[in-house]
């Protein structure tokens, strides 16, 4: 099995500013995710966080990333537009993207979806059941019929996303809501998975089943095909002979569009 | 039948700078489209162009628009980002959007798609056959098996778009290319249709069948449902009684997210 | 507005064999649905039931039906295969189909889906919240954020259906399940809507909001486009002149395939 | 890499009845496909044909098949309904299915699609260009922008299929048609790929690029996830405590539905 180069991106703000979050994630959410993913020897892990230069997501880092995971919440606006555009571009070229929890309002995710990505929410420490609705999907490997979380933030519908290509999980909340909590899209050559559990004040990323879903998603999201270079202007010389034969009637100079 | 308020947006640059284009569209592409659409008494037509203040797309105009058609080519970059975002927002709220020809690289379309929207092209005045691949779709009403255009600019695959919700037309080009030339998407509450025929140096918008497709698309794209106002923070008071009974465990202040 | 010709099909078995069901639906489920739909003057209603010749769904009746609603449960196997195939064929030609509750295992629905259409279930009279997840969709007109049903049969995931083209409702159940309760598909030229609330031992079809959804769905599912007749063998004479010019190289006799 | 167990199914009628076909495929279409696939050591190949008992597709064979390829044309009606249903069922459980050329009218494919699967056709030995429209898709690995076939049977739109989950190829034909020639669907836990090139009177399966696409498709279609066994009746004991607490109001006996 080829190695999969994974970059775990974390905003890493709450863990420094809130004692409660630091208690749950003393090494940061990224640290907990990295520890869990070290169980998979085929993953080559790298960490990147908001306060690094270019948020740790230079052109070189992204070039060497097969799958990027993203957790952000308090500081979406601090992400540089150029970096967000660079992430979007790499996804279109084939990099996988796993967007976690409050990352639904992150710049890269919103740029790729084209929609509001808004949702409803309530923080009441209530029970969540993350239902597998697609038991043949590779992201559900090793998961039984549902994952139950005793204390979770409620995310509710309507969730302002384009219709997913594949629906993997839908969550039930004790307080009466439902939520499309595990959704797949393809954009360009890249695969995108959004997974909603993971509020910073609950130890959700310590849950082995949640960790398993994220590991599964990384495997699912790795680049699948060619990395295509497509010429955008097609010379007339490549066209069928009949066009060539009749003398072309060229009205334009040609060249690369846009 | 309720009136449908249509705003026809045109960049209106080529018609002023190129004699050949002016000869084909002396009133501008928008003028030709408006003339054609006047055959439908239920349509309330309005024109807007790039060089007007706010490109003619003020908040008030968009509020009063049910369907917006968009033609642009030479000056995509001159469209103000705030206006592009406003168009995107109105689509998410339910306004229909018909994107024509080179509008595939326009800011509103790219923002809504989230992808490159690139394509391949060749200008050789070749024959195009726009095939109906979905004969039950309302956008094909009155169209037989295909529309044949004697002289057309070739657009070719791969076209950098998300998979359409419905594929209506695929074009054949004499020189050997194919192109997904009529595609539907839904984003938020809005319907989007992209239709590729329409290069400015060919009289394509004078073709009655092309006009019919655009009129059909306007009818298809009109707002369909409620204009929803959804509260984004859901008070605990609305949740099931059990959560209330056990004392809430509130960790956050609540409020509107994002 | 053109009239929409609606045929309400009901198995009509439980109402005759179970006193409790008869008490709730003394005129049959079809009678209750018809009473509710009479509020819409543009609907031309017709009733058909299992025990009529050809189940009331002769070729002529289906020819004159724009939208068919289907409720069945105890006697799916008694539906004649030829009638099920006829319903399927009419949907492909453009007839709308609204499948209600236990109709998920009906022959026409399973033939159109191609999947098991199985689900999980529990009958415990529990509370159901039918959430609107797509507030701009026309099937949600007049419905607020959710419909609450005090006593409902629980249907649960996984639901063995192809990914819907549009997801309109997802249900929450008191006992801990979720279910994709309102789903749209397009097959051929026909629109299909599945709506799960409606167990025969609860008065769910007397609920005005449930009635509203069904009326909305009928309007949504009406035929949209041309009724296409497509020749399946394409004579060489219609092909481009180059093929004709070089003498055809015909290897087959032609004729209609399949 | 785990071995992938592939069963190559061929009707094997034309090769025996038509000298021309036998000349091109002296070992049968299945023999040519098997020879090509032997280049992939991870594939465990098996052959099955129509005239064997149960068409070579016993319950045991299908249990041991990860991906089934299907070529049929003259004798679709001779395929036993029970075998067609068994193939459908195995796809829903996770077996991949690659349907080739005239297999579009085969019983298993039509059962899985739920639509007519009809298309238009013309046999004139014309040129076909199979365009890659999705260059990041794994089925396109090793394929440049298109595959050109000098002599091919024309298949044309409209093709009576449900909208594909992913569109991989669209073909251009010299005579003026287009066709969705490479299409992916997911049904249940199984992946389905339809690939149109392959008329029996042209040596198309000897083309290394066509062989590469089929090999890619087999890899793509292999089972991805768990093989799920889902209980269809959910006992009340598994439900939330509140339902249990209030005394259940059970109206039914429970048991497995359908």
């Amino acid at each position: 099995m080829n190695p999969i180069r994974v970059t775990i991106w974390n905003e890493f703000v709450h863990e420094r500013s809130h004692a409660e979050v630091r208690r749950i994630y003393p090494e940061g959410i990224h640290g907990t995710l990295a520890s869990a993913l070290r169980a998979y020897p085929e993953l080559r892990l790298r960490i990147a966080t908001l306060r690094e230069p270019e948020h740790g997501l230079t052109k070189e880092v992204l070039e060497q990333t097969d799958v990027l995971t993203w957790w952000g919440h308090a500081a979406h606006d601090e992400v540089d537009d150029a970096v967000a555009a660079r992430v979007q571009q790499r996804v279109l070229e084939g990099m996988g993207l796993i967007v976690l929890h409050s990352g639904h309002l992150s710049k890269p995710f919103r740029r790729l979806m084209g929609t509001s990505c808004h949702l409803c929410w309530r923080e009441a420490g209530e029970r969540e059941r993350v239902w597998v609705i697609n038991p043949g999907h590779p992201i559900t490997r090793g998961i039984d019929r549902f994952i139950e979380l005793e204390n979770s933030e409620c995310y509710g519908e309507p969730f302002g996303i384009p219709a997913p290509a594949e629906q993997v999980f839908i969550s039930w909340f004790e307080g009466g809501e439902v939520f499309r909590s595990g959704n797949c899209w393809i954009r360009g050559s890249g695969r995108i998975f959004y997974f909603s559990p993971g509020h910073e004040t609950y130890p959700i990323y310590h849950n082995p089943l949640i960790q398993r879903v994220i590991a599964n998603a990384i495997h699912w999201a790795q680049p699948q095909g060619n990395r295509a270079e497509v010429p955008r202007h097609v010379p007339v010389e490549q066209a069928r002979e009949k066009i060539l034969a009749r003398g072309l009637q060229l009205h334009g100079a040609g060249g690369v569009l846009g």
Side-chain angles (χ1 to χ4, degrees), chain A residues 135-183:
Chain A
H137 197 281
I139 294 181
T140 70
R141 279 194 195 121
I143 308 298
D144 199 355
R145 301 196 57 213
F146 56 79
I147 300 171
E148 185 146 326
L149 303 166
E150 280 303 303
N151 292 286
S152 190
E153 183 185 28
C154 172
Y155 272 14
E157 296 281 344
F159 186 16
I161 49 173
E166 296 181 283
Q167 187 74 51
V168 181
F169 300 108
I170 297 177
S171 284
W172 173 96
F173 289 94
E174 190 173 7
E177 269 77 10
V178 295
F179 189 67
R180 288 173 289 171
S181 47
N183 313 313

Side-chain angles (χ1 to χ4, degrees), chain A residues 3-38:
Chain A
I4 306 174
R5 299 165 300 171
V6 180
T7 298
I8 301 172
W9 193 88
N10 185 18
E11 187 183 270
F12 198 29
V13 167
H14 290 302
E15 297 95 326
R16 295 197 262 212
S17 59
H18 285 71
E20 183 184 0
V21 180
R22 190 162 51 243
R23 185 181 55 77
I24 301 172
Y25 295 113
E27 298 172 289
I29 285 173
H30 54 282
T32 298
L33 291 175
S35 294
L37 294 172
R38 274 188 209 108

Side-chain angles (χ1 to χ4, degrees), chain A residues 5-238:
Chain A
R5 299 165 300 171
V6 180
T7 298
I8 301 172
W9 193 88
N10 185 18
E11 187 183 270
F12 198 29
V13 167
H14 290 302
E15 297 95 326
R16 295 197 262 212
S17 59
H18 285 71
E20 183 184 0
V21 180
R22 190 162 51 243
R23 185 181 55 77
I24 301 172
Y25 295 113
E27 298 172 289
I29 285 173
H30 54 282
T32 298
L33 291 175
S35 294
L37 294 172
R38 274 188 209 108
Y40 300 85
E42 68 277 18
L43 304 184
R44 301 277 168 82
L45 302 173
R46 180 200 294 263
I47 302 291
T49 57
L50 178 69
R51 297 284 151 78
E52 298 172 50
E54 302 185 50
H55 317 316
L57 299 174
T58 61
K59 196 167 183 317
E60 291 67 34
V61 167
L62 288 176
E63 277 295 321
Q64 294 161 24
T65 298
D66 294 315
V67 180
L68 174 68
T69 72
W70 191 281
W71 197 100
H73 183 215
H76 293 314
D77 287 349
E78 295 179 36
V79 173
D80 188 68
D81 283 338
V83 174
R86 191 188 290 162
V87 170
Q88 177 185 25
Q89 178 59 27
R90 271 293 287 140
V91 171
L92 299 180
E93 290 169 8
M95 182 182 74
L97 178 66
I98 314 294
V99 177
L100 296 170
H101 190 62
S102 43
H104 70 93
L105 285 183
S106 66
K107 286 184 179 179
F109 187 63
R110 298 179 84 173
R111 290 177 75 104
L112 284 158
M113 295 293 105
T115 55
S116 74
C117 300
H118 283 305
L119 49 80
C120 302
W121 60 285
R122 174 182 59 235
E123 201 173 342
E126 69 200 271
R127 191 174 295 181
E128 174 177 3
R129 272 192 181 177
V130 184
W131 280 92
V132 171
I133 71 152
N134 195 338
H137 197 281
I139 294 181
T140 70
R141 279 194 195 121
I143 308 298
D144 199 355
R145 301 196 57 213
F146 56 79
I147 300 171
E148 185 146 326
L149 303 166
E150 280 303 303
N151 292 286
S152 190
E153 183 185 28
C154 172
Y155 272 14
E157 296 281 344
F159 186 16
I161 49 173
E166 296 181 283
Q167 187 74 51
V168 181
F169 300 108
I170 297 177
S171 284
W172 173 96
F173 289 94
E174 190 173 7
E177 269 77 10
V178 295
F179 189 67
R180 288 173 289 171
S181 47
N183 313 313
C184 301
W185 298 266
I186 296 169
R187 289 296 181 269
S189 299
R191 293 180 167 193
I192 303 166
F193 182 63
Y194 173 77
F195 189 50
S196 65
H199 196 57
E200 69 276 7
T201 60
Y202 309 111
I204 285 173
Y205 295 121
H206 292 286
N207 182 315
L209 296 173
I210 297 293
Q211 293 170 353
R212 178 70 192 267
V213 168
I214 294 170
N216 287 343
I218 288 168
H219 287 84
W220 170 83
Q222 64 179 302
Q224 299 289 315
N226 307 300
R227 182 156 170 190
E229 291 295 330
V230 176
R232 293 213 283 277
H233 175 254
V234 189
V236 174
E237 292 69 33
Q238 292 180 15

